[in-house]
Amino acid sequence: MTSPITFPWHIAPVGDRSLIVEFGQAVEPAINATVRGFARELLDEPIAGIVDVVPAFTTVAVHYRPEFFAEGGAPYDVLRRRLDALLARGIRHHDEDARTVDIPVCYGGEFGPDLEEVATACGLEPEEVIERHIASQHIVYMLGFAPGFPYIGGLDASLAVPRRGTPRTRIPAGSVAIARDQTSIYSLETPGGWNLIGRTPLKLFDATAESPCLLRPGDRIRFVPASADIFGSVEVAP
């Protein structure tokens, strides 16, 4: 069902071939649901001349070819008016279509070297950190930083810890990490400064697959504790 947007949006140019639609400053579920809904409408019912749609936490970047919007004024103004009209009609939220994805995780030890440090910082036992992480209402807000890398909201507030003071230069792919109010899963081996609490053997990004990214914005994530035996025994294709 389409519903009106209950907070203002703002459209601004980003160079001469893209613009950004901002729905607010706070990273929170209602704004992110509107971001995802708007991006999906632009993808499901493409506007000729728009070449890419990039949703983030609170914004949607729209990349376009100016020559498609050259009649009736400056291309940016023409497209902005069209998007304003679309937004004024209301945006459908697609939460009913959201998937729930189980992510097996081996917590602690060599797979989650920061688990005990996180527990100490939060005044909890490591087992309590795991329990609260599992029980959190996780939802993928956006993909970014690296291909297939999810920013996952909904972390239990009692587990909020800052990023590490000194980032690591190499973090194994599949590492499950937390920082502030979010969880992430490293999709590739990269540097990073989040706190590592576990690891999954699932492959979050495969450039050769039909759908390269395992996760997508709007997915509900269910972290499932597992033993180290899952490494080498699980085969998953996105």
Side-chain angles (χ1 to χ4, degrees), residues 111-163:
F111 301 109
D114 300 328
L115 178 62
E116 292 196 11
E117 188 175 327
V118 167
T120 298
C122 296
L124 301 169
E125 294 297 323
E127 294 76 15
E128 293 177 295
V129 172
I130 296 171
E131 290 172 0
R132 297 186 188 198
H133 187 254
I134 293 166
S136 299
Q137 301 299 305
H138 300 286
I139 182 171
V140 178
Y141 278 151
M142 63 171 282
L143 303 180
F145 173 63
F149 182 103
Y151 289 85
I152 304 169
L155 183 66
D156 188 309
S158 67
L159 302 182
V161 289
R163 294 184 185 222

mmCIF file of all heavy atoms in Angstrom, residues 111-163:
data_model
loop_
_atom_site.group_PDB
_atom_site.id
_atom_site.type_symbol
_atom_site.label_atom_id
_atom_site.label_comp_id
_atom_site.label_asym_id
_atom_site.label_seq_id
_atom_site.Cartn_x
_atom_site.Cartn_y
_atom_site.Cartn_z
ATOM 1 N N PHE A 111 37.890 -16.679 15.739
ATOM 2 C CA PHE A 111 36.920 -16.112 14.806
ATOM 3 C C PHE A 111 36.377 -14.760 15.284
ATOM 4 O O PHE A 111 35.928 -13.957 14.471
ATOM 5 C CB PHE A 111 35.766 -17.083 14.596
ATOM 6 C CG PHE A 111 36.207 -18.418 14.066
ATOM 7 C CD1 PHE A 111 36.171 -19.549 14.861
ATOM 8 C CD2 PHE A 111 36.679 -18.537 12.772
ATOM 9 C CE1 PHE A 111 36.585 -20.775 14.383
ATOM 10 C CE2 PHE A 111 37.098 -19.768 12.274
ATOM 11 C CZ PHE A 111 37.062 -20.892 13.086
ATOM 12 N N GLY A 112 36.383 -14.531 16.588
ATOM 13 C CA GLY A 112 35.890 -13.278 17.155
ATOM 14 C C GLY A 112 36.823 -12.767 18.227
ATOM 15 O O GLY A 112 36.485 -12.782 19.416
ATOM 16 N N PRO A 113 38.024 -12.311 17.823
ATOM 17 C CA PRO A 113 39.051 -11.968 18.806
ATOM 18 C C PRO A 113 38.715 -10.793 19.726
ATOM 19 O O PRO A 113 39.387 -10.614 20.735
ATOM 20 C CB PRO A 113 40.270 -11.647 17.936
ATOM 21 C CG PRO A 113 39.713 -11.285 16.598
ATOM 22 C CD PRO A 113 38.501 -12.131 16.434
ATOM 23 N N ASP A 114 37.680 -10.001 19.381
ATOM 24 C CA ASP A 114 37.333 -8.853 20.220
ATOM 25 C C ASP A 114 36.152 -9.130 21.145
ATOM 26 O O ASP A 114 35.699 -8.226 21.858
ATOM 27 C CB ASP A 114 37.010 -7.634 19.343
ATOM 28 C CG ASP A 114 38.179 -7.213 18.473
ATOM 29 O OD1 ASP A 114 39.334 -7.396 18.908
ATOM 30 O OD2 ASP A 114 37.943 -6.716 17.357
ATOM 31 N N LEU A 115 35.642 -10.345 21.147
ATOM 32 C CA LEU A 115 34.438 -10.635 21.921
ATOM 33 C C LEU A 115 34.635 -10.338 23.408
ATOM 34 O O LEU A 115 33.789 -9.684 24.031
ATOM 35 C CB LEU A 115 34.012 -12.092 21.720
ATOM 36 C CG LEU A 115 32.786 -12.537 22.534
ATOM 37 C CD1 LEU A 115 31.554 -11.732 22.151
ATOM 38 C CD2 LEU A 115 32.532 -14.036 22.333
ATOM 39 N N GLU A 116 35.719 -10.805 23.980
ATOM 40 C CA GLU A 116 35.925 -10.591 25.418
ATOM 41 C C GLU A 116 36.128 -9.115 25.733
ATOM 42 O O GLU A 116 35.641 -8.622 26.758
ATOM 43 C CB GLU A 116 37.115 -11.429 25.899
ATOM 44 C CG GLU A 116 36.839 -12.934 25.862
ATOM 45 C CD GLU A 116 37.840 -13.724 26.674
ATOM 46 O OE1 GLU A 116 38.622 -13.109 27.428
ATOM 47 O OE2 GLU A 116 37.825 -14.964 26.569
ATOM 48 N N GLU A 117 36.833 -8.404 24.871
ATOM 49 C CA GLU A 117 37.034 -6.968 25.080
ATOM 50 C C GLU A 117 35.706 -6.222 25.013
ATOM 51 O O GLU A 117 35.444 -5.309 25.805
ATOM 52 C CB GLU A 117 38.004 -6.432 24.033
ATOM 53 C CG GLU A 117 38.440 -4.997 24.263
ATOM 54 C CD GLU A 117 39.489 -4.548 23.265
ATOM 55 O OE1 GLU A 117 40.304 -5.395 22.839
ATOM 56 O OE2 GLU A 117 39.487 -3.355 22.904
ATOM 57 N N VAL A 118 34.853 -6.604 24.073
ATOM 58 C CA VAL A 118 33.519 -6.000 23.976
ATOM 59 C C VAL A 118 32.720 -6.290 25.239
ATOM 60 O O VAL A 118 32.053 -5.403 25.800
ATOM 61 C CB VAL A 118 32.771 -6.523 22.727
ATOM 62 C CG1 VAL A 118 31.296 -6.150 22.786
ATOM 63 C CG2 VAL A 118 33.405 -5.976 21.462
ATOM 64 N N ALA A 119 32.785 -7.539 25.723
ATOM 65 C CA ALA A 119 32.052 -7.920 26.925
ATOM 66 C C ALA A 119 32.492 -7.075 28.113
ATOM 67 O O ALA A 119 31.658 -6.565 28.891
ATOM 68 C CB ALA A 119 32.259 -9.402 27.213
ATOM 69 N N THR A 120 33.790 -6.891 28.271
ATOM 70 C CA THR A 120 34.307 -6.079 29.376
ATOM 71 C C THR A 120 33.822 -4.643 29.268
ATOM 72 O O THR A 120 33.392 -4.039 30.261
ATOM 73 C CB THR A 120 35.844 -6.119 29.381
ATOM 74 O OG1 THR A 120 36.285 -7.473 29.579
ATOM 75 C CG2 THR A 120 36.406 -5.249 30.491
ATOM 76 N N ALA A 121 33.867 -4.083 28.059
ATOM 77 C CA ALA A 121 33.435 -2.697 27.855
ATOM 78 C C ALA A 121 31.953 -2.516 28.160
ATOM 79 O O ALA A 121 31.529 -1.439 28.614
ATOM 80 C CB ALA A 121 33.731 -2.267 26.423
ATOM 81 N N CYS A 122 31.172 -3.562 27.936
ATOM 82 C CA CYS A 122 29.715 -3.483 28.144
ATOM 83 C C CYS A 122 29.306 -3.956 29.536
ATOM 84 O O CYS A 122 28.114 -3.910 29.871
ATOM 85 C CB CYS A 122 28.997 -4.315 27.092
ATOM 86 S SG CYS A 122 29.223 -3.734 25.390
ATOM 87 N N GLY A 123 30.260 -4.422 30.348
ATOM 88 C CA GLY A 123 29.930 -4.933 31.664
ATOM 89 C C GLY A 123 29.159 -6.233 31.619
ATOM 90 O O GLY A 123 28.307 -6.489 32.476
ATOM 91 N N LEU A 124 29.469 -7.072 30.639
ATOM 92 C CA LEU A 124 28.753 -8.327 30.436
ATOM 93 C C LEU A 124 29.742 -9.484 30.333
ATOM 94 O O LEU A 124 30.941 -9.284 30.145
ATOM 95 C CB LEU A 124 27.925 -8.274 29.135
ATOM 96 C CG LEU A 124 26.861 -7.177 29.024
ATOM 97 C CD1 LEU A 124 26.355 -7.112 27.583
ATOM 98 C CD2 LEU A 124 25.716 -7.426 29.984
ATOM 99 N N GLU A 125 29.228 -10.694 30.437
ATOM 100 C CA GLU A 125 30.006 -11.873 30.126
ATOM 101 C C GLU A 125 29.953 -12.112 28.613
ATOM 102 O O GLU A 125 28.978 -11.714 27.960
ATOM 103 C CB GLU A 125 29.452 -13.100 30.860
ATOM 104 C CG GLU A 125 29.590 -13.034 32.371
ATOM 105 C CD GLU A 125 31.040 -12.991 32.814
ATOM 106 O OE1 GLU A 125 31.879 -13.677 32.178
ATOM 107 O OE2 GLU A 125 31.333 -12.265 33.784
ATOM 108 N N PRO A 126 30.973 -12.737 28.029
ATOM 109 C CA PRO A 126 30.946 -13.003 26.582
ATOM 110 C C PRO A 126 29.677 -13.721 26.132
ATOM 111 O O PRO A 126 29.128 -13.414 25.069
ATOM 112 C CB PRO A 126 32.199 -13.859 26.369
ATOM 113 C CG PRO A 126 33.136 -13.421 27.445
ATOM 114 C CD PRO A 126 32.255 -13.143 28.638
ATOM 115 N N GLU A 127 29.205 -14.668 26.950
ATOM 116 C CA GLU A 127 27.980 -15.399 26.585
ATOM 117 C C GLU A 127 26.776 -14.462 26.512
ATOM 118 O O GLU A 127 25.877 -14.658 25.676
ATOM 119 C CB GLU A 127 27.712 -16.513 27.595
ATOM 120 C CG GLU A 127 28.745 -17.632 27.605
ATOM 121 C CD GLU A 127 30.057 -17.236 28.292
ATOM 122 O OE1 GLU A 127 30.069 -16.197 29.001
ATOM 123 O OE2 GLU A 127 31.049 -17.958 28.106
ATOM 124 N N GLU A 128 26.755 -13.440 27.384
ATOM 125 C CA GLU A 128 25.647 -12.479 27.352
ATOM 126 C C GLU A 128 25.710 -11.615 26.100
ATOM 127 O O GLU A 128 24.670 -11.255 25.527
ATOM 128 C CB GLU A 128 25.681 -11.609 28.602
ATOM 129 C CG GLU A 128 25.393 -12.345 29.899
ATOM 130 C CD GLU A 128 25.515 -11.440 31.106
ATOM 131 O OE1 GLU A 128 26.638 -10.966 31.385
ATOM 132 O OE2 GLU A 128 24.495 -11.195 31.772
ATOM 133 N N VAL A 129 26.922 -11.264 25.675
ATOM 134 C CA VAL A 129 27.063 -10.500 24.431
ATOM 135 C C VAL A 129 26.497 -11.303 23.272
ATOM 136 O O VAL A 129 25.738 -10.787 22.442
ATOM 137 C CB VAL A 129 28.546 -10.151 24.170
ATOM 138 C CG1 VAL A 129 28.710 -9.521 22.784
ATOM 139 C CG2 VAL A 129 29.070 -9.205 25.237
ATOM 140 N N ILE A 130 26.849 -12.580 23.212
ATOM 141 C CA ILE A 130 26.339 -13.443 22.140
ATOM 142 C C ILE A 130 24.816 -13.518 22.197
ATOM 143 O O ILE A 130 24.135 -13.364 21.170
ATOM 144 C CB ILE A 130 26.957 -14.851 22.254
ATOM 145 C CG1 ILE A 130 28.463 -14.780 22.044
ATOM 146 C CG2 ILE A 130 26.316 -15.800 21.237
ATOM 147 C CD1 ILE A 130 29.195 -16.079 22.360
ATOM 148 N N GLU A 131 24.264 -13.740 23.378
ATOM 149 C CA GLU A 131 22.812 -13.862 23.526
ATOM 150 C C GLU A 131 22.107 -12.583 23.071
ATOM 151 O O GLU A 131 21.083 -12.643 22.371
ATOM 152 C CB GLU A 131 22.459 -14.158 24.979
ATOM 153 C CG GLU A 131 22.861 -15.559 25.443
ATOM 154 C CD GLU A 131 22.680 -15.754 26.933
ATOM 155 O OE1 GLU A 131 22.233 -14.789 27.601
ATOM 156 O OE2 GLU A 131 22.983 -16.862 27.434
ATOM 157 N N ARG A 132 22.637 -11.436 23.470
ATOM 158 C CA ARG A 132 21.985 -10.170 23.092
ATOM 159 C C ARG A 132 22.175 -9.863 21.609
ATOM 160 O O ARG A 132 21.292 -9.259 20.982
ATOM 161 C CB ARG A 132 22.520 -9.037 23.970
ATOM 162 C CG ARG A 132 22.185 -9.234 25.445
ATOM 163 C CD ARG A 132 22.585 -8.056 26.311
ATOM 164 N NE ARG A 132 22.401 -8.378 27.723
ATOM 165 C CZ ARG A 132 22.331 -7.485 28.705
ATOM 166 N NH1 ARG A 132 22.428 -6.192 28.420
ATOM 167 N NH2 ARG A 132 22.174 -7.866 29.961
ATOM 168 N N HIS A 133 23.300 -10.269 21.061
ATOM 169 C CA HIS A 133 23.494 -10.066 19.629
ATOM 170 C C HIS A 133 22.511 -10.920 18.833
ATOM 171 O O HIS A 133 21.878 -10.445 17.884
ATOM 172 C CB HIS A 133 24.935 -10.407 19.230
ATOM 173 C CG HIS A 133 25.242 -10.051 17.814
ATOM 174 N ND1 HIS A 133 25.374 -10.982 16.811
ATOM 175 C CD2 HIS A 133 25.426 -8.836 17.226
ATOM 176 C CE1 HIS A 133 25.623 -10.371 15.669
ATOM 177 N NE2 HIS A 133 25.675 -9.073 15.879
ATOM 178 N N ILE A 134 22.344 -12.166 19.241
ATOM 179 C CA ILE A 134 21.406 -13.060 18.566
ATOM 180 C C ILE A 134 19.973 -12.537 18.652
ATOM 181 O O ILE A 134 19.194 -12.620 17.696
ATOM 182 C CB ILE A 134 21.497 -14.470 19.176
ATOM 183 C CG1 ILE A 134 22.852 -15.096 18.883
ATOM 184 C CG2 ILE A 134 20.370 -15.366 18.659
ATOM 185 C CD1 ILE A 134 23.142 -16.323 19.705
ATOM 186 N N ALA A 135 19.621 -11.971 19.812
ATOM 187 C CA ALA A 135 18.243 -11.536 20.053
ATOM 188 C C ALA A 135 17.913 -10.189 19.416
ATOM 189 O O ALA A 135 16.734 -9.804 19.356
ATOM 190 C CB ALA A 135 17.985 -11.471 21.557
ATOM 191 N N SER A 136 18.915 -9.443 18.955
ATOM 192 C CA SER A 136 18.671 -8.131 18.359
ATOM 193 C C SER A 136 17.833 -8.253 17.082
ATOM 194 O O SER A 136 17.883 -9.266 16.388
ATOM 195 C CB SER A 136 20.001 -7.437 18.043
ATOM 196 O OG SER A 136 20.776 -7.218 19.206
ATOM 197 N N GLN A 137 17.079 -7.199 16.799
ATOM 198 C CA GLN A 137 16.211 -7.180 15.615
ATOM 199 C C GLN A 137 16.988 -6.606 14.429
ATOM 200 O O GLN A 137 16.886 -5.430 14.099
ATOM 201 C CB GLN A 137 14.955 -6.355 15.896
ATOM 202 C CG GLN A 137 14.122 -6.863 17.064
ATOM 203 C CD GLN A 137 13.618 -8.281 16.821
ATOM 204 O OE1 GLN A 137 12.969 -8.547 15.813
ATOM 205 N NE2 GLN A 137 13.909 -9.188 17.751
ATOM 206 N N HIS A 138 17.762 -7.448 13.787
ATOM 207 C CA HIS A 138 18.693 -6.993 12.752
ATOM 208 C C HIS A 138 18.001 -6.774 11.412
ATOM 209 O O HIS A 138 17.231 -7.613 10.950
ATOM 210 C CB HIS A 138 19.795 -8.029 12.556
ATOM 211 C CG HIS A 138 20.619 -8.302 13.780
ATOM 212 N ND1 HIS A 138 21.564 -7.420 14.257
ATOM 213 C CD2 HIS A 138 20.646 -9.369 14.627
ATOM 214 C CE1 HIS A 138 22.144 -7.922 15.331
ATOM 215 N NE2 HIS A 138 21.602 -9.108 15.587
ATOM 216 N N ILE A 139 18.320 -5.646 10.771
ATOM 217 C CA ILE A 139 17.827 -5.356 9.426
ATOM 218 C C ILE A 139 18.927 -4.682 8.624
ATOM 219 O O ILE A 139 19.657 -3.831 9.152
ATOM 220 C CB ILE A 139 16.556 -4.472 9.460
ATOM 221 C CG1 ILE A 139 16.027 -4.227 8.047
ATOM 222 C CG2 ILE A 139 16.811 -3.160 10.187
ATOM 223 C CD1 ILE A 139 14.673 -3.545 8.007
ATOM 224 N N VAL A 140 19.074 -5.076 7.369
ATOM 225 C CA VAL A 140 20.095 -4.482 6.510
ATOM 226 C C VAL A 140 19.622 -3.109 6.046
ATOM 227 O O VAL A 140 18.611 -2.989 5.355
ATOM 228 C CB VAL A 140 20.384 -5.377 5.286
ATOM 229 C CG1 VAL A 140 21.412 -4.707 4.373
ATOM 230 C CG2 VAL A 140 20.887 -6.745 5.729
ATOM 231 N N TYR A 141 20.364 -2.069 6.436
ATOM 232 C CA TYR A 141 20.032 -0.708 6.007
ATOM 233 C C TYR A 141 20.556 -0.418 4.598
ATOM 234 O O TYR A 141 19.878 0.192 3.784
ATOM 235 C CB TYR A 141 20.626 0.317 6.975
ATOM 236 C CG TYR A 141 19.822 0.552 8.228
ATOM 237 C CD1 TYR A 141 20.452 0.937 9.407
ATOM 238 C CD2 TYR A 141 18.440 0.411 8.244
ATOM 239 C CE1 TYR A 141 19.725 1.176 10.568
ATOM 240 C CE2 TYR A 141 17.700 0.643 9.386
ATOM 241 C CZ TYR A 141 18.348 1.032 10.554
ATOM 242 O OH TYR A 141 17.625 1.263 11.702
ATOM 243 N N MET A 142 21.797 -0.834 4.332
ATOM 244 C CA MET A 142 22.394 -0.512 3.035
ATOM 245 C C MET A 142 23.610 -1.396 2.814
ATOM 246 O O MET A 142 24.095 -2.069 3.731
ATOM 247 C CB MET A 142 22.816 0.963 2.968
ATOM 248 C CG MET A 142 23.890 1.345 3.977
ATOM 249 S SD MET A 142 24.583 3.010 3.727
ATOM 250 C CE MET A 142 25.692 2.708 2.345
ATOM 251 N N LEU A 143 24.079 -1.415 1.561
ATOM 252 C CA LEU A 143 25.343 -2.051 1.206
ATOM 253 C C LEU A 143 26.334 -0.953 0.836
ATOM 254 O O LEU A 143 25.965 0.032 0.197
ATOM 255 C CB LEU A 143 25.172 -3.010 0.027
ATOM 256 C CG LEU A 143 24.144 -4.132 0.180
ATOM 257 C CD1 LEU A 143 24.121 -4.986 -1.091
ATOM 258 C CD2 LEU A 143 24.416 -5.005 1.398
ATOM 259 N N GLY A 144 27.593 -1.125 1.241
ATOM 260 C CA GLY A 144 28.578 -0.102 0.925
ATOM 261 C C GLY A 144 29.951 -0.499 1.414
ATOM 262 O O GLY A 144 30.153 -1.620 1.890
ATOM 263 N N PHE A 145 30.917 0.397 1.299
ATOM 264 C CA PHE A 145 32.306 0.217 1.716
ATOM 265 C C PHE A 145 33.038 -0.762 0.799
ATOM 266 O O PHE A 145 34.070 -0.443 0.245
ATOM 267 C CB PHE A 145 32.391 -0.244 3.174
ATOM 268 C CG PHE A 145 33.782 -0.611 3.635
ATOM 269 C CD1 PHE A 145 34.783 0.351 3.652
ATOM 270 C CD2 PHE A 145 34.095 -1.898 4.014
ATOM 271 C CE1 PHE A 145 36.080 0.017 4.055
ATOM 272 C CE2 PHE A 145 35.391 -2.245 4.418
ATOM 273 C CZ PHE A 145 36.378 -1.269 4.439
ATOM 274 N N ALA A 146 32.517 -1.975 0.663
ATOM 275 C CA ALA A 146 33.061 -2.984 -0.245
ATOM 276 C C ALA A 146 31.882 -3.708 -0.874
ATOM 277 O O ALA A 146 30.766 -3.688 -0.324
ATOM 278 C CB ALA A 146 33.962 -3.966 0.505
ATOM 279 N N PRO A 147 32.039 -4.351 -2.025
ATOM 280 C CA PRO A 147 30.917 -5.054 -2.657
ATOM 281 C C PRO A 147 30.275 -6.066 -1.716
ATOM 282 O O PRO A 147 30.956 -6.925 -1.138
ATOM 283 C CB PRO A 147 31.573 -5.758 -3.847
ATOM 284 C CG PRO A 147 32.773 -4.933 -4.164
ATOM 285 C CD PRO A 147 33.274 -4.444 -2.845
ATOM 286 N N GLY A 148 28.953 -5.932 -1.522
ATOM 287 C CA GLY A 148 28.221 -6.871 -0.696
ATOM 288 C C GLY A 148 28.343 -6.657 0.799
ATOM 289 O O GLY A 148 27.794 -7.441 1.581
ATOM 290 N N PHE A 149 29.027 -5.607 1.236
ATOM 291 C CA PHE A 149 29.239 -5.334 2.664
ATOM 292 C C PHE A 149 27.972 -4.706 3.246
ATOM 293 O O PHE A 149 27.586 -3.601 2.858
ATOM 294 C CB PHE A 149 30.426 -4.383 2.825
ATOM 295 C CG PHE A 149 30.793 -4.036 4.244
ATOM 296 C CD1 PHE A 149 31.892 -4.627 4.849
ATOM 297 C CD2 PHE A 149 30.084 -3.087 4.968
ATOM 298 C CE1 PHE A 149 32.272 -4.290 6.141
ATOM 299 C CE2 PHE A 149 30.451 -2.747 6.261
ATOM 300 C CZ PHE A 149 31.550 -3.356 6.855
ATOM 301 N N PRO A 150 27.284 -5.387 4.199
ATOM 302 C CA PRO A 150 26.035 -4.862 4.726
ATOM 303 C C PRO A 150 26.216 -4.032 6.002
ATOM 304 O O PRO A 150 27.006 -4.397 6.889
ATOM 305 C CB PRO A 150 25.253 -6.139 5.049
ATOM 306 C CG PRO A 150 26.322 -7.097 5.493
ATOM 307 C CD PRO A 150 27.552 -6.763 4.690
ATOM 308 N N TYR A 151 25.497 -2.928 6.078
ATOM 309 C CA TYR A 151 25.373 -2.168 7.316
ATOM 310 C C TYR A 151 24.036 -2.570 7.926
ATOM 311 O O TYR A 151 22.973 -2.316 7.350
ATOM 312 C CB TYR A 151 25.412 -0.672 7.040
ATOM 313 C CG TYR A 151 26.786 -0.175 6.629
ATOM 314 C CD1 TYR A 151 27.204 -0.236 5.301
ATOM 315 C CD2 TYR A 151 27.666 0.354 7.570
ATOM 316 C CE1 TYR A 151 28.458 0.215 4.927
ATOM 317 C CE2 TYR A 151 28.925 0.812 7.199
ATOM 318 C CZ TYR A 151 29.313 0.745 5.879
ATOM 319 O OH TYR A 151 30.563 1.190 5.503
ATOM 320 N N ILE A 152 24.097 -3.219 9.091
ATOM 321 C CA ILE A 152 22.927 -3.862 9.674
ATOM 322 C C ILE A 152 22.524 -3.136 10.952
ATOM 323 O O ILE A 152 23.293 -3.083 11.921
ATOM 324 C CB ILE A 152 23.225 -5.347 9.981
ATOM 325 C CG1 ILE A 152 23.709 -6.057 8.703
ATOM 326 C CG2 ILE A 152 22.002 -6.039 10.551
ATOM 327 C CD1 ILE A 152 24.278 -7.444 8.953
ATOM 328 N N GLY A 153 21.320 -2.557 10.968
ATOM 329 C CA GLY A 153 20.828 -1.858 12.143
ATOM 330 C C GLY A 153 20.102 -2.789 13.096
ATOM 331 O O GLY A 153 19.909 -3.974 12.820
ATOM 332 N N GLY A 154 19.685 -2.233 14.237
ATOM 333 C CA GLY A 154 18.893 -2.995 15.194
ATOM 334 C C GLY A 154 19.672 -3.602 16.334
ATOM 335 O O GLY A 154 19.119 -4.373 17.130
ATOM 336 N N LEU A 155 20.956 -3.285 16.463
ATOM 337 C CA LEU A 155 21.775 -3.865 17.526
ATOM 338 C C LEU A 155 21.267 -3.434 18.895
ATOM 339 O O LEU A 155 20.933 -2.262 19.107
ATOM 340 C CB LEU A 155 23.229 -3.437 17.349
ATOM 341 C CG LEU A 155 24.241 -4.001 18.342
ATOM 342 C CD1 LEU A 155 24.379 -5.509 18.181
ATOM 343 C CD2 LEU A 155 25.600 -3.315 18.157
ATOM 344 N N ASP A 156 21.206 -4.373 19.814
ATOM 345 C CA ASP A 156 20.832 -4.088 21.205
ATOM 346 C C ASP A 156 21.683 -2.928 21.724
ATOM 347 O O ASP A 156 22.919 -2.943 21.609
ATOM 348 C CB ASP A 156 21.070 -5.342 22.055
ATOM 349 C CG ASP A 156 20.540 -5.214 23.470
ATOM 350 O OD1 ASP A 156 20.853 -4.210 24.144
ATOM 351 O OD2 ASP A 156 19.829 -6.132 23.916
ATOM 352 N N ALA A 157 21.033 -1.928 22.305
ATOM 353 C CA ALA A 157 21.739 -0.720 22.745
ATOM 354 C C ALA A 157 22.814 -1.022 23.792
ATOM 355 O O ALA A 157 23.793 -0.274 23.924
ATOM 356 C CB ALA A 157 20.739 0.292 23.304
ATOM 357 N N SER A 158 22.656 -2.106 24.535
ATOM 358 C CA SER A 158 23.638 -2.437 25.565
ATOM 359 C C SER A 158 24.965 -2.911 24.967
ATOM 360 O O SER A 158 25.962 -3.031 25.683
ATOM 361 C CB SER A 158 23.089 -3.521 26.492
ATOM 362 O OG SER A 158 22.929 -4.754 25.811
ATOM 363 N N LEU A 159 24.991 -3.170 23.659
ATOM 364 C CA LEU A 159 26.209 -3.638 22.993
ATOM 365 C C LEU A 159 26.893 -2.530 22.198
ATOM 366 O O LEU A 159 27.849 -2.790 21.462
ATOM 367 C CB LEU A 159 25.887 -4.807 22.057
ATOM 368 C CG LEU A 159 25.229 -6.035 22.684
ATOM 369 C CD1 LEU A 159 25.030 -7.124 21.640
ATOM 370 C CD2 LEU A 159 26.062 -6.560 23.854
ATOM 371 N N ALA A 160 26.434 -1.303 22.346
ATOM 372 C CA ALA A 160 27.009 -0.190 21.582
ATOM 373 C C ALA A 160 28.425 0.107 22.072
ATOM 374 O O ALA A 160 28.629 0.498 23.225
ATOM 375 C CB ALA A 160 26.132 1.045 21.716
ATOM 376 N N VAL A 161 29.394 -0.103 21.209
ATOM 377 C CA VAL A 161 30.791 0.201 21.511
ATOM 378 C C VAL A 161 31.366 0.968 20.323
ATOM 379 O O VAL A 161 30.927 0.784 19.189
ATOM 380 C CB VAL A 161 31.621 -1.081 21.759
ATOM 381 C CG1 VAL A 161 31.239 -1.727 23.063
ATOM 382 C CG2 VAL A 161 31.468 -2.077 20.607
ATOM 383 N N PRO A 162 32.342 1.847 20.565
ATOM 384 C CA PRO A 162 32.929 2.595 19.442
ATOM 385 C C PRO A 162 33.796 1.701 18.571
ATOM 386 O O PRO A 162 34.145 0.579 18.951
ATOM 387 C CB PRO A 162 33.769 3.666 20.145
ATOM 388 C CG PRO A 162 34.137 3.057 21.464
ATOM 389 C CD PRO A 162 32.938 2.221 21.857
ATOM 390 N N ARG A 163 34.141 2.203 17.406
ATOM 391 C CA ARG A 163 35.108 1.497 16.579
ATOM 392 C C ARG A 163 36.438 1.425 17.325
ATOM 393 O O ARG A 163 36.703 2.198 18.232
ATOM 394 C CB ARG A 163 35.313 2.230 15.246
ATOM 395 C CG ARG A 163 34.078 2.239 14.355
ATOM 396 C CD ARG A 163 34.411 2.900 13.031
ATOM 397 N NE ARG A 163 33.225 3.023 12.206
ATOM 398 C CZ ARG A 163 33.205 2.785 10.896
ATOM 399 N NH1 ARG A 163 34.305 2.403 10.279
ATOM 400 N NH2 ARG A 163 32.094 2.935 10.205
#
